[in-house]
Amino acid sequence: MAVFQECLQQFNKSPIDAKKCRSLLAKLLRLIYSGEVFPAQESTTLFFSISKLFQDKNQSLRQLVYLTIKELAATSDDILMVTSSIMKDIQGGDSVYKPNAIRTLSKVLDSTTVNAAERLFKNAIVDKNPILSSAALISSYNLLPIAKDVVKRFTNETLETLQSYKQFPSSQFELHEYYGNSTSNLPATSFMYQYHALGLLYHLRNYDKMALVKLITSLSEGSSLKNSLSIIQLIRYINKILVDDESLIQHLYPILAGLLKHKSDMVELEACKTLINLQHLIKDDQFMNIITTLQKLLSVPRTATRFAAIRLINKISFKHPEKIIIVNIELEGLINDPNRAISTLAITTLLKTMGAGTIDTGSTGGESVDRLITKMTSLMDEITEDFKIVIIEAIENLALKFPSKHKKLVAFLTDLLREDGSLLLKTSIVDALFDLIKFLPDASAKQLILMNLCEFIEDCEFTELSVRILHLLGDEGPHTTNPSYYIRHIYNRLVLENSIVRSSAIISLAKFASVCGGDVASNVKILLGRCLNDVDDEVRDRAALSLKFISSNQKKLIVSDSKYDLAALESKLTHYLNNEANFATKFDISEVPIITNEELKSLEYNKKVNKLDEGSTDASESASKDEGKKDTEKAGSDDVANDLLKQQEYAQELSAYPEFEAYGKLSKSTMVPVYLTEKENEFVVTVVKHFFIESKKLVLQYNITNTLPRSVLQDISVIAQPDNEDYVEDFIIPLSELKPDQTGTVYVSFSTPSIEDEELLAAFGNTVAYTNKDIIDEEGNVDERDEGYTDEYQVDDLEIVSGDFVTPLYNSNFTAIYDALPSYQSSVAHISGADTLENAVTKLKSTLNLLPLDGSDYVPSDSTSHILKLLGKDVWGGKVAVMIRLANSSGKIVAKIEAKAETENFSAIITSGAY
């Protein structure tokens, strides 16, 4: 308030003290920038007082006046009174504050007065001064929300500016005392106005794809764009166009290819990044141009450029590691780079290229692995633990993706486990080894890791890790060829460790007795009997309970083959406890889904595979941040709702409708809604499919969003017409009203055929029927007397595919499962919409909704044939295994699909719906 009063006093004085007023305006701006908000009345009073400062010609004061007016314009009333003063300065003012005046004018004008300033903006855009031109272009951005039609009339001037050459005024640097007389070596222009002009043109043309393509083509011909940022922006516009319309790749690829040899590193990196994102659209020889450019950038002295280049190479290595083998020499040289983020990315990338075929493919491959591991070992002593964890994750991911390459990598992890380190580092190594035990099909590899873990807990100083390892030994040890070896190590913990570890060891031993039986059970009973006299209550109680369960042969109380879904259990309990009215009835645990160990392993494996696709680049970035932030991000990444929890939410929503009460338990819902319209349409329609297998019902949940700003939709329903006569419509639950920007739901129920009918697949034609009424005021009300008009809006068809009836399932021995399944069906077909083996694999995975095993989802780029192995579980409870032999024949992908299933007739549905 003191600043406010002082401002009023000084600004109204005559004559004006420019120095004092500048100081007060600076204080005022500091208050505003720090979050202080002036009430409308005070803001308006200040505004009127500041406007009197236009009487003074001091340049520095005038600049601060414009800054302050621009900030107060949002909260003041009657701001249009300064418009004439601002326009006067723009027309004949000093070049020092002209740009400030233009930017302030764009904040002061509204939709009714902007036409009066149109000529001023046009003249400023084409002005020879690049600073003034940039100010006018940026101000045009501010005018777009309130006067887009006026800004569209700036198009010709903006194009002229984009292709012109503008120099700084000769007095530009003389205005600053810092430069003195040394202005001869300073740049004549920055071409920054090209960046601003290109951005404005994009905003004016982004709804017209062909106009945008024409603009890009015209700018790429010749060398009209001099500013590197504007060229980068042009590349991003090309990327956006190609993402929306891949058919334009032949027209736009030459432009991107030409920019791979630009003089600016930034431009080359952006072109490489865009082409890598579009690698499925370009040929192998074209892709090698990207590798060559990145290879050159790896040797530049600038650290940021080297990091960006190796980051892109690391991204390529996730899907096509064989393509970057040619840069292995450069990557090995970067292992000792002073920047540890670069050295870590070099190691993780080399690990992937070796997984592509250099390991165990001959003496050279073996030597390269030994050389890499030697370098990693020496590097481990020099880098921080954050980077060590990134390397550990890369080794684990490689071993999971290429199971045959695990031997030397597992040896490296176990050696690293024996060295000194913090709990965080040891936990990451143990987590990696746990995952390898779960997902590696090689039984000998599992036993080797288990033996190393046994040795580790002999000297482990961390109780948490000892407890976790003992739990794992109890789960995996009984199924090995020599359980007694692990029992000895577990019993050592009963003698030498604290009470927490002893308690865990008791349960682990009980699992051996329960699973192995016979002499093993007798020996374990003796060991547990000795624990009945332990000094700790928890240890004695666990020993007594375990002995009782073993003696009474209560195996399920010790070893469980299933567990409750914890996310769904938490959701149900939270819903139950939030309403006291629920306490009248007991909590129904039967509503919480039970997950078998096999299904749990599938979920964990899926999570690991998805993590591979996300890339370790993010991990490298987080490794360069502080440790606390990394822990927060890691915890956040694990807190993702799983599919079963999402299905529980759908089940709760459906249970609110009495029409669905008789349908029974919801068997399966599609997790990702299917878009039936473009996201920019006046109506955005998505659909979720809900299957009730027991009652043979299908419920289609249409989520409809009204994007019309001046219309209210009423009596909304969806007419769904199946092409399969076995699908019979039961009823429709319509939506009464939908206001602008609201989303509502329409349900359509169908009776479905049974699995015996073999005609489960269908396609639905969909039409949205509604009554449209116009909004009559700003509050969104409609005229009650207005009956509106009825209309229909046809959207895309919806398909019921074979993948809707299955969930992915993991098993380390695909061949055994496949051979054991009874029902067999095969077919041969062309995979439509796929021109490469990789695209065919991606499409089949998505369509069939099955889990690829044995690393069969990885396709080497030079392959002409491939075998894809898929496994899942259908909604009737049976396993489904599919082996697909793919071949590339003259650009067409031919597939022989062999499906086997436990559920009769389902293998035929898989083969008929695969393509």
Side-chain angles (χ1 to χ4, degrees):
M1 185 58 71
V3 174
F4 173 75
Q5 293 294 342
E6 195 173 356
C7 285
L8 294 183
Q9 292 173 6
Q10 290 294 330
F11 297 164
N12 290 307
K13 272 187 178 182
S14 182
I16 295 171
D17 185 348
K19 185 176 180 181
K20 182 68 174 177
C21 290
R22 284 203 310 270
S23 176
L24 287 171
L25 287 172
K27 290 180 181 180
L28 194 63
L29 286 169
R30 183 178 180 182
L31 287 173
I32 294 172
Y33 293 151
S34 62
E36 188 74 31
V37 178
F38 289 93
Q41 184 177 354
E42 291 183 5
S43 182
T44 305
T45 305
L46 269 176
F47 195 86
F48 276 98
S49 299
I50 292 171
S51 64
K52 295 180 181 179
L53 298 179
F54 279 102
Q55 299 171 17
D56 195 282
K57 300 297 182 182
N58 185 283
Q59 294 176 346
S60 299
L61 176 61
R62 188 66 59 90
Q63 283 183 301
L64 279 174
V65 166
Y66 281 126
L67 280 174
T68 312
I69 290 176
K70 190 169 67 171
E71 297 300 329
L72 292 175
T75 55
S76 303
D77 300 327
D78 301 325
I79 58 176
L80 294 176
M81 60 165 288
V82 296
T83 303
S84 59
S85 299
I86 297 174
M87 288 184 175
K88 184 179 178 182
D89 275 352
I90 295 173
Q91 290 171 333
D94 197 293
S95 60
V96 174
Y97 53 77
K98 256 188 182 181
N100 299 85
I102 292 173
R103 285 190 286 267
T104 304
L105 183 62
S106 68
K107 294 289 187 180
V108 171
L109 294 173
D110 59 21
S111 57
T112 60
T113 57
V114 70
N115 288 291
E118 180 181 345
R119 176 52 54 189
L120 282 178
F121 278 105
K122 285 184 176 181
N123 291 338
I125 288 173
V126 297
D127 195 274
K128 292 181 180 180
N129 187 340
I131 300 174
L132 187 60
S133 182
S134 286
L137 290 167
I138 293 171
S139 300
S140 300
Y141 284 82
N142 297 329
L143 295 175
L144 278 172
I146 61 172
K148 188 170 184 177
D149 291 337
V150 175
V151 179
K152 280 183 178 180
R153 296 200 285 269
F154 301 167
T155 301
N156 292 335
E157 288 76 11
T158 307
L159 276 170
E160 181 183 338
T161 297
L162 185 65
Q163 298 172 344
S164 63
Y165 176 75
K166 302 184 179 187
Q167 288 184 311
F168 293 127
S170 57
S171 60
Q172 172 68 26
F173 298 104
E174 295 174 7
L175 299 172
H176 304 276
E177 296 178 0
Y178 173 80
Y179 296 107
N181 296 322
S182 305
T183 59
S184 58
N185 296 326
L186 294 173
T189 183
S190 67
F191 293 102
M192 199 64 190
Y193 57 87
Q194 290 187 336
Y195 174 73
H196 298 140
L198 181 61
L200 180 60
L201 285 173
Y202 175 76
H203 279 290
L204 296 176
R205 297 189 177 186
N206 63 340
Y207 296 107
D208 187 350
K209 182 173 63 179
M210 296 316 297
L212 200 55
V213 171
K214 185 178 178 181
L215 172 66
I216 291 170
T217 305
S218 64
L219 292 176
S220 63
E221 295 172 353
S223 55
S224 56
L225 290 182
K226 305 291 185 182
N227 182 268
S228 295
L229 290 177
S230 63
I231 299 174
I232 289 172
Q233 199 69 1
L234 187 73
I235 294 172
R236 291 177 179 174
Y237 296 155
I238 293 174
N239 179 58
K240 187 175 186 303
I241 290 172
L242 290 176
V243 168
D244 294 337
D245 187 357
E246 296 180 350
S247 63
L248 293 171
I249 184 66
Q250 297 298 328
H251 180 67
L252 296 175
Y253 170 77
I255 300 174
L256 295 173
L259 295 173
L260 290 175
K261 298 179 181 179
H262 196 271
K263 61 182 179 180
S264 169
D265 293 349
M266 288 193 303
V267 173
E268 290 181 333
L269 286 167
E270 190 66 30
C272 289
K273 178 182 175 182
T274 299
L275 287 171
I276 290 169
N277 292 334
L278 301 168
Q279 57 185 290
H280 60 287
L281 301 177
I282 59 180
K283 300 175 182 177
D284 288 345
D285 57 335
Q286 296 171 336
F287 196 83
M288 291 312 297
N289 294 332
I290 306 172
I291 306 297
T292 304
T293 301
L294 292 174
Q295 188 176 18
K296 178 194 71 174
L297 293 174
L298 287 177
S299 58
V300 301
R302 191 181 297 110
T303 302
T305 301
R306 293 201 311 277
F307 175 77
I310 197 170
R311 191 168 176 262
L312 291 173
I313 290 175
N314 184 269
K315 185 176 182 179
I316 296 171
S317 67
F318 279 94
K319 288 191 175 181
H320 298 290
E322 73 284 350
K323 290 183 178 179
I324 58 171
I325 292 177
I326 61 172
V327 300
N328 274 11
I329 296 175
E330 286 81 2
L331 292 175
E332 289 187 19
L334 291 174
I335 290 178
N336 297 318
D337 193 278
N339 185 291
R340 290 312 179 196
I342 293 176
S343 62
T344 304
L345 277 172
I347 290 174
T348 56
T349 306
L350 280 169
L351 286 169
K352 294 178 183 64
T353 62
M354 292 176 178
T358 59
I359 295 180
D360 299 336
T361 57
S363 59
T364 305
E367 290 172 3
S368 65
V369 176
D370 292 337
R371 187 169 65 250
L372 176 60
I373 289 179
T374 301
K375 289 186 177 182
M376 283 196 300
T377 305
S378 62
L379 184 69
M380 285 295 180
D381 297 331
E382 303 174 12
I383 62 176
T384 63
E385 288 194 348
D386 290 335
F387 289 113
K388 289 180 182 178
I389 291 170
V390 174
I391 293 174
I392 290 165
E393 290 176 351
I395 291 173
E396 175 199 350
N397 291 342
L398 175 65
L400 288 176
K401 194 167 186 179
F402 304 99
S404 61
K405 318 290 186 184
H406 70 270
K407 293 181 181 178
K408 294 178 181 179
L409 303 175
V410 168
F412 175 79
L413 288 177
T414 52
D415 289 342
L416 190 60
L417 186 62
R418 298 189 187 97
E419 297 177 3
D420 294 334
S422 68
L423 175 60
L424 183 64
L425 176 63
K426 297 287 186 181
T427 300
S428 66
I429 300 172
V430 169
D431 285 340
L433 293 173
F434 276 21
D435 288 333
L436 296 180
I437 288 173
K438 287 180 184 177
F439 305 124
L440 284 180
D442 190 347
S444 61
K446 292 183 180 181
Q447 292 199 36
L448 176 63
I449 298 173
L450 288 173
M451 291 168 66
N452 279 284
L453 290 174
C454 286
E455 294 177 10
F456 171 67
I457 60 173
E458 293 289 345
D459 300 315
C460 181
E461 58 183 307
F462 304 111
T463 299
E464 300 94 325
L465 290 182
S466 295
V467 169
R468 290 184 62 194
I469 292 171
L470 287 169
H471 178 77
L472 179 76
L473 291 175
D475 288 340
E476 300 289 342
H479 304 287
T480 59
T481 56
N482 186 15
S484 300
Y485 174 84
Y486 306 102
I487 293 174
R488 175 169 61 84
H489 284 278
I490 295 171
Y491 182 67
N492 287 344
R493 310 278 62 74
L494 286 173
V495 178
L496 303 172
E497 293 287 356
N498 59 48
S499 59
I500 298 174
V501 177
R502 295 202 304 274
S503 300
S504 181
I506 291 288
I507 300 301
S508 185
L509 286 174
K511 291 179 180 179
F512 277 87
S514 179
V515 175
C516 298
D519 294 338
V520 173
S522 301
N523 294 332
V524 169
K525 284 182 181 180
I526 296 172
L527 298 178
L528 293 178
R530 297 174 184 174
C531 299
L532 294 174
N533 297 321
D534 194 277
V535 295
D536 186 78
D537 293 344
E538 178 74 15
V539 176
R540 292 198 304 272
D541 291 346
R542 290 195 180 199
L545 277 173
S546 299
L547 284 170
K548 178 66 175 177
F549 293 154
I550 295 169
S551 301
S552 58
N553 199 24
Q554 297 288 336
K555 181 179 178 180
K556 288 186 177 181
L557 295 176
I558 302 174
V559 181
S560 175
D561 58 353
S562 62
K563 61 175 63 177
Y564 290 106
D565 177 51
L566 295 181
L569 177 60
E570 180 186 18
S571 175
K572 286 284 186 183
L573 283 172
T574 303
H575 177 72
Y576 181 81
L577 295 173
N578 284 343
N579 188 354
E580 293 186 1
N582 294 331
F583 297 166
T585 57
K586 67 177 183 179
F587 179 76
D588 188 3
I589 192 68
S590 63
E591 293 183 357
V592 179
I594 296 175
I595 308 176
T596 64
N597 289 338
E598 200 172 35
E599 291 172 335
L600 182 63
K601 189 176 285 189
S602 301
L603 293 172
E604 293 174 350
Y605 183 77
N606 237 338
K607 186 177 179 181
K608 283 290 174 185
V609 171
N610 291 337
K611 190 176 180 181
L612 292 182
D613 295 333
E614 291 172 7
S616 66
T617 308
D618 298 333
S620 298
E621 290 174 348
S622 65
S624 61
K625 300 176 185 177
D626 61 278
E627 184 177 329
K629 187 171 181 180
K630 183 178 185 298
D631 291 342
T632 304
E633 289 174 354
K634 186 175 180 181
S637 65
D638 291 336
D639 190 24
V640 179
N642 58 35
D643 289 352
L644 287 172
L645 179 58
K646 187 66 177 175
Q647 184 164 315
Q648 286 295 307
E649 294 174 357
Y650 282 137
Q652 288 182 5
E653 293 174 7
L654 293 171
S655 64
Y657 294 88
E659 292 89 344
F660 301 132
E661 285 183 1
Y663 285 12
K665 183 180 178 181
L666 177 62
S667 303
K668 187 177 183 294
S669 298
T670 50
M671 294 301 109
V672 181
V674 179
Y675 276 87
L676 301 183
T677 62
E678 298 292 335
K679 296 181 181 179
E680 297 81 14
N681 281 20
E682 55 266 36
F683 304 123
V684 180
V685 183
T686 63
V687 64
V688 178
K689 294 169 270 190
H690 304 291
F691 294 92
F692 297 84
I693 298 301
E694 294 178 1
S695 55
K696 299 180 183 178
K697 298 292 183 180
L698 165 66
V699 176
L700 300 179
Q701 174 183 326
Y702 293 92
N703 301 314
I704 304 171
T705 302
N706 175 19
T707 62
L708 295 173
R710 304 296 300 173
S711 296
V712 173
L713 309 182
Q714 294 182 348
D715 302 327
I716 308 159
S717 62
V718 178
I719 304 168
Q721 298 176 320
D723 61 357
N724 185 342
E725 295 180 355
D726 293 334
Y727 282 85
V728 180
E729 182 180 307
D730 299 321
F731 56 82
I732 300 174
I733 300 179
L735 182 62
S736 58
E737 186 177 79
L738 200 58
K739 293 183 177 180
D741 298 323
Q742 284 187 348
T743 300
T745 302
V746 175
Y747 292 99
V748 183
S749 174
F750 286 89
S751 295
T752 67
S754 63
I755 184 64
E756 291 81 11
D757 297 330
E758 295 188 13
E759 289 294 336
L760 283 177
L761 307 184
F764 291 80
N766 303 290
T767 303
V768 180
Y770 58 92
T771 300
N772 192 326
K773 293 185 178 181
D774 293 332
I775 292 175
I776 58 174
D777 55 30
E778 295 299 325
E779 297 178 359
N781 297 317
V782 297
D783 189 350
E784 296 182 358
R785 295 169 297 179
D786 180 15
E787 296 182 357
Y789 62 90
T790 58
D791 201 356
E792 292 185 349
Y793 186 80
Q794 189 168 358
V795 297
D796 292 345
D797 291 349
L798 172 68
E799 292 185 340
I800 304 296
V801 297
S802 55
D804 294 331
F805 300 95
V806 295
T807 53
L809 188 66
Y810 174 80
N811 194 289
S812 59
N813 195 340
F814 173 83
T815 305
I817 294 286
Y818 183 81
D819 293 340
L821 294 176
S823 178
Y824 173 82
Q825 194 74 28
S826 67
S827 67
V828 177
H830 289 283
I831 305 300
S832 59
D835 54 357
T836 64
L837 292 175
E838 184 185 2
N839 291 345
V841 167
T842 303
K843 181 177 181 181
L844 288 167
K845 281 165 50 182
S846 174
T847 303
L848 297 177
N849 193 29
L850 298 170
L851 188 66
L853 298 181
D854 298 345
S856 61
D857 55 332
Y858 168 70
V859 184
S861 60
D862 55 350
S863 296
T864 57
S865 62
H866 184 69
I867 297 178
L868 177 63
K869 301 175 182 178
L870 302 169
L871 186 65
K873 183 178 181 181
D874 61 43
V875 291
W876 295 273
K879 291 186 178 66
V880 183
V882 182
M883 186 181 295
I884 304 176
R885 303 176 191 275
L886 298 165
N888 192 336
S889 176
S890 303
K892 293 184 178 180
I893 307 301
V894 182
K896 181 181 181 182
I897 304 160
E898 298 176 286
K900 301 186 79 174
E902 275 186 292
T903 305
E904 191 175 355
N905 296 331
F906 192 66
S907 56
I909 294 171
I910 289 287
T911 55
S912 62
Y915 46 88

